[in-house]
Amino acid sequence: MADTKDVEDIFRLSPNQEALLLHRLQHQSRDAGLLQVSATLAGRLDDGAFREAWQRTLERHPLLRASVHWESVRHPVQVISKNASLPVHFKDWRKRSKNDQERLFADLVENDRRKGVDLGKAPAMRVNVVRTARRESRVLWTCHHILLDGWSSGLVLDEVVRRYNGIGGDGKYQPEASQPAKYREYVNWVRNQDESAARTFWKAQEIPPCQPLARTVPQVHATASTTVRLDG
């Protein structure tokens, strides 16, 4: 468990989060919940400003500062850290050929996938940044579906880039006046739903029976990729 002095909040996992955790514990050699997002950054990159943009985004979103704990507790919980610092690692491959860069990046993705993420330590994610040309870099962000889904990861990456451009001094990024909704509130809402009423409702719907699930779970930790243009 995290140092109590660094704890901002503690609350139970949502049902979906518990299901993902259970699958991870049962299939540790192939964690289908692992999420990897890659992006090509077009433009000159300021390493310090990019690291700061990520850190400020973590500070705004509590769930990005979460760790997950399931031992010696009645129910698995997520602990929000006050001061989690995101590891951002920089590499310079500008002297490598394009073929070498592609091979090395593929190796980076695979090795980072095999390494996995430590859900018990906040933040349960890391970022690798590879400079491939004078005005081009590639990013690999490795995290876990317990904390966010693929759609949400795109929103986070978009916020990081907007913050980066603002830190760079173009004045286009204005910090949000309001804080995002807290995930704790959603978890409380889900936990307070009437399961019996929901079961009765769905049983009354004319839904075709589902096919039996396969005994094996496919590998779904594919790497999503996009291109982002930086200012400057």
Side-chain angles (χ1 to χ4, degrees), residues 79-91:
V79 178
I80 308 302
S81 170
K82 294 178 182 177
N83 303 299
S85 180
L86 178 67
V88 182
H89 308 288
F90 294 91
K91 300 174 175 58

Side-chain angles (χ1 to χ4, degrees), residues 41-85:
L41 306 178
R44 184 177 59 84
L45 182 67
D46 181 317
D47 294 355
F50 194 64
R51 187 193 301 272
E52 182 180 350
W54 271 103
Q55 189 61 38
R56 289 189 184 181
T57 302
L58 255 69
E59 291 168 1
R60 182 169 182 266
H61 297 280
L63 200 61
L64 299 181
R65 293 180 272 113
S67 56
V68 179
H69 304 268
W70 56 91
E71 296 180 340
S72 302
V73 291
R74 183 178 180 183
H75 302 288
V77 296
Q78 44 206 334
V79 178
I80 308 302
S81 170
K82 294 178 182 177
N83 303 299
S85 180

Side-chain angles (χ1 to χ4, degrees), residues 24 31 34 111-118 126 142-143:
R24 175 187 168 101
D31 186 0
L34 194 71
N111 291 335
D112 216 47
R113 182 192 69 78
R114 291 180 180 278
K115 184 177 180 181
V117 293
D118 183 356
R126 60 184 170 274
T142 301
C143 47

